[in-house]
Amino acid sequence: MNPSTAQATVIVDELIRNDVRHVVVCPGSRNAALAMAVHQAAQDGRLTLHVRIDERSAGFLALGLSKASGRPAAVACTSGTAAANLHPAVLEAFHSGVGLLVITADRPPELHGTGANQTIDQRGLFGSAAVAVEFPVAERREGQNQVWRGLVCRAVAQAEAGRPVQVNVPFREPLVPTFEPRWPEPLDGRSGGDRWTTSAAPVSMAGSRVDFPLPARTLMVFGSGREDRARAAATVAASAGWPAIAEPTSQAAALSGGADVLRCGALLLAAGELPEPMRPEAVVVVGRPTLSRGVRGLMGRAPVYGIGDHPQWTDPQYVATHVRGWLDLDDMARVDGVDPEWLPTWRHADAVAVTGIEKLLGEQEWPTGLRLAIDVMESLPSGAALFLGSSNPVRDVDLVADPRSDVTVHANRGVAGIDGNVSTAAGMALASEAPAYALIGDLTLLHDLNGLLIGPLERRPNLTLIVHNDDGGGIFTLLEQGAAEHKNSFERVFGTPHGADIEALCRGYHVDYVHAGSGAELRAALKPARGLRVVEVRSDRRLLRDLHARLRATVAEAALR
């Protein structure tokens, strides 16, 4: 056994002992020993191997696997720009607090600075976004087995704490198994399949509880983040009679904790000035809200109390008065009574807003993005998993769709880019037995089209991708640059029409395709099915800005007067 093969074999064995269940491998030369070791472990039934040829898509696939499984997944690639292509997924993992193992094969030290092919400085390649674990070059001598295994345990421990980790491994040739003398020491792990080193991160919230009064007229806002934290805080909202506004990724957790989650809470905040009976005396923000300008606009108009991570809490406007790590029923003594009119006032406004929204959207020709968001959420089977694409889909669901406790919603809200959304959704689907769906935009699909590229030897996800195609960047229509005074430049540099034939692209990737031209056809297409398929829904984004303006006006007139 040669040094590269020995090291790769030990790394993979120790990953398995650390309960790493999924490994995504990209083909390459410098990572050959690692790829062959993973392949052998998969053949032996010890882990699940996924192979992808595009490193950027592979990174996001591993991210989706980590998100949905609750365990760090690994992605392994060769040296050079292959490793650099993993950076977007690493950034998303870092800002989402998702553990991810990025194993980058490297050239040995003697090749650096020599002009050797595919050789860059990969040490700490991802900067502060990833913990760096550097492996030594393997040599034919004793005393290395425990070093390799110990380094794997350190890397997994960091990933289990919610951090992306770069495991950089320099390999010397030969890079494939060769007939050489026996290795000079046993390469066994701990007996019984145990980890070489077990560790436990401190998880106690002692000393980080709420220690300040919470007024009766408090509004609770849930953003992305830890589900256990959201559920715990939701029990307080339920007991104290506080209305709750929850972004799609946190709705199931908030509802399971008993919170009264408003359907149109974010839209109520965006529609105009709140009347006095609806003005909160405090806002408790749980996790990291990123979607609504209405929510952001509320910050600073009342004291803001954060329940989130320390020391990197969410407060981009610098308005938070207090930040603590935990809130649950043990803190009810901090709540200053219950206002019996507070929650009913918000419930009434929400109900009136829903009636106005349904009437307005019912008058529009099908589809609009808002109507599509409602229809998709209503049509999903119980127990489904839904990935929401960045840009308009996640915001449309946030604005108007009815929250569901029986649907698990995922989204890349760490950096909130559209890159890698297809692959993240595929990873979500592969890590779960639940019926899996994704609602994304056309540019999001095109940006990660290689997420559809799955070889015939690979396991295909049971995933339905609903693609809302409005031929360009619809979200920009709703921003400042979409105003009429900027129409001269808008279409070319923001609207960016592409004219892509999505059906033909799906045919080229051997992916099943359906065009849904009505609500009935959409509902039929969303029945659970095996395999990967795309359901395209087409609309006209020229109508978008006016519709959203009328939506806000409708809510303001109906619910805020």
Side-chain angles (χ1 to χ4, degrees):
M1 181 180 290
N2 62 54
S4 291
T5 298
Q7 187 178 49
T9 301
V10 168
I11 289 172
V12 172
D13 179 66
E14 193 61 37
L15 285 171
I16 294 166
R17 291 166 179 264
N18 278 262
D19 198 25
V20 175
R21 306 165 191 166
H22 295 272
V23 179
V24 184
V25 170
C26 301
S29 174
R30 193 56 51 168
N31 65 330
L34 195 62
M36 295 174 81
V38 173
H39 180 264
Q40 184 61 56
Q43 284 197 321
D44 295 340
R46 302 182 68 203
L47 56 72
T48 301
L49 165 65
H50 309 270
V51 178
R52 296 294 186 273
I53 65 171
D54 183 324
E55 283 82 8
R56 189 178 70 166
S57 293
F60 280 102
L61 179 71
L63 176 69
L65 289 162
S66 299
K67 278 175 175 277
S69 70
R71 291 292 308 158
V75 56
C77 71
T78 191
S79 62
T81 56
N85 275 303
L86 297 173
H87 205 158
V90 170
L91 288 169
E92 177 61 35
F94 173 73
H95 288 281
S96 296
V98 175
L100 182 67
L101 293 161
V102 178
I103 307 175
T104 53
D106 201 354
R107 306 281 163 146
E110 64 270 18
L111 292 183
H112 283 262
T114 68
N117 192 33
Q118 289 185 299
T119 305
I120 64 172
D121 186 357
Q122 294 178 194
R123 296 167 299 175
L125 179 64
F126 306 113
S128 61
V131 176
V133 174
E134 291 287 337
F135 267 69
V137 179
E139 299 174 337
R140 180 174 290 281
R141 60 177 176 82
E142 296 183 1
Q144 295 180 98
N145 179 48
Q146 66 264 34
V147 175
W148 299 336
R149 291 185 183 274
L151 286 172
V152 170
C153 290
R154 289 177 183 274
V156 175
Q158 295 277 9
E160 287 174 334
R163 302 181 182 96
V165 181
Q166 181 196 8
V167 181
N168 196 55
V169 188
F171 289 107
R172 281 199 182 109
E173 297 180 0
L175 302 173
V176 297
T178 53
F179 297 101
E180 296 191 18
R182 291 177 60 86
W183 195 253
E185 66 173 338
L187 295 177
D188 301 328
R190 300 289 188 198
S191 61
D194 291 342
R195 301 183 186 202
W196 190 260
T197 305
T198 65
S199 62
V203 295
S204 173
M205 291 293 174
S208 188
R209 285 185 171 277
V210 168
D211 53 4
F212 45 85
L214 295 166
R217 290 178 54 170
T218 291
L219 178 67
M220 185 170 277
V221 175
F222 293 88
S224 58
R226 287 175 47 173
E227 292 182 10
D228 59 341
R229 179 186 282 139
R231 280 193 297 270
T235 62
V236 176
S239 297
W242 297 344
I245 297 173
E247 293 189 348
T249 55
S250 60
Q251 287 174 354
L255 288 167
S256 67
D260 202 308
V261 177
L262 304 168
R263 175 172 172 177
C264 301
L267 190 51
L268 286 168
L269 295 180
E273 186 72 23
L274 293 175
E276 194 282 329
M278 294 176 65
R279 291 174 192 165
E281 296 173 358
V283 181
V284 172
V285 178
V286 183
R288 182 170 178 254
T290 61
L291 290 175
S292 170
R293 289 190 175 190
V295 169
R296 292 197 301 272
L298 181 65
M299 308 300 186
R301 285 186 275 167
V304 175
Y305 306 142
I307 307 297
D309 294 324
H310 182 81
Q312 191 175 353
W313 59 79
T314 298
D315 183 27
Q317 295 166 284
Y318 298 93
V319 295
T321 304
H322 304 293
V323 178
R324 299 293 184 270
W326 197 256
L327 175 68
D328 62 24
L329 286 176
D330 290 344
D331 302 305
M332 279 300 296
R334 301 289 181 183
V335 178
D336 188 16
V338 175
D339 182 342
E341 300 300 321
W342 180 236
L343 181 57
T345 297
W346 275 88
R347 281 178 175 166
H348 175 73
D350 191 52
V352 171
V354 169
T355 300
I357 290 167
E358 291 285 0
K359 181 177 183 299
L360 174 65
L361 296 182
E363 295 169 350
Q364 311 306 308
E365 183 178 352
W366 196 91
T368 62
L370 296 166
R371 185 76 249 175
L372 182 60
I374 294 172
D375 291 349
V376 168
M377 285 298 289
E378 288 180 348
S379 301
L380 296 184
S382 182
L386 173 66
F387 181 88
L388 293 174
S390 300
S391 295
N392 277 336
V394 67
R395 288 175 171 82
D396 289 340
V397 171
D398 184 52
L399 286 175
V400 296
D402 200 5
R404 291 180 59 175
S405 61
D406 61 340
V407 172
T408 301
V409 178
H410 296 279
N412 284 349
R413 298 309 304 165
V415 191
I418 65 171
D419 44 349
N421 280 204
V422 175
S423 297
T424 307
M428 173 198 75
L430 287 167
S432 172
E433 295 301 318
Y437 299 83
L439 175 60
I440 63 175
D442 49 312
L443 294 187
T444 299
L445 172 71
L446 296 173
H447 211 280
D448 189 24
L449 199 58
N450 274 349
L452 302 179
L453 183 56
I454 304 173
L457 303 180
E458 298 305 303
R459 178 183 162 203
R460 298 177 77 80
N462 296 319
L463 173 65
T464 299
L465 286 161
I466 306 114
V467 179
H468 179 203
N469 183 6
D470 57 9
D471 194 30
I475 190 169
F476 298 117
T477 306
L478 302 175
L479 301 179
E480 290 80 359
Q481 56 264 57
E485 59 265 29
H486 306 304
K487 65 180 181 180
N488 184 52
S489 62
F490 179 83
E491 191 64 4
R492 184 169 186 191
V493 298
F494 298 109
T496 58
H498 50 79
D501 186 336
I502 292 177
E503 181 178 8
L505 291 170
C506 289
R507 195 161 52 244
Y509 280 90
H510 305 293
V511 172
D512 291 341
Y513 168 89
V514 174
H515 171 243
S518 67
E521 290 177 355
L522 174 69
R523 288 188 289 274
L526 296 188
K527 293 178 180 178
R530 305 289 295 177
L532 178 62
R533 55 190 174 144
V534 168
V535 178
E536 182 184 8
V537 179
R538 301 173 191 149
S539 72
D540 186 348
R541 60 182 160 82
R542 291 176 298 177
L543 309 175
L544 194 56
R545 190 176 183 90
D546 176 68
L547 176 60
H548 276 250
R550 286 189 289 141
L551 182 73
R552 291 189 298 273
T554 296
V555 172
E557 180 64 31
L560 301 183
R561 293 292 181 264

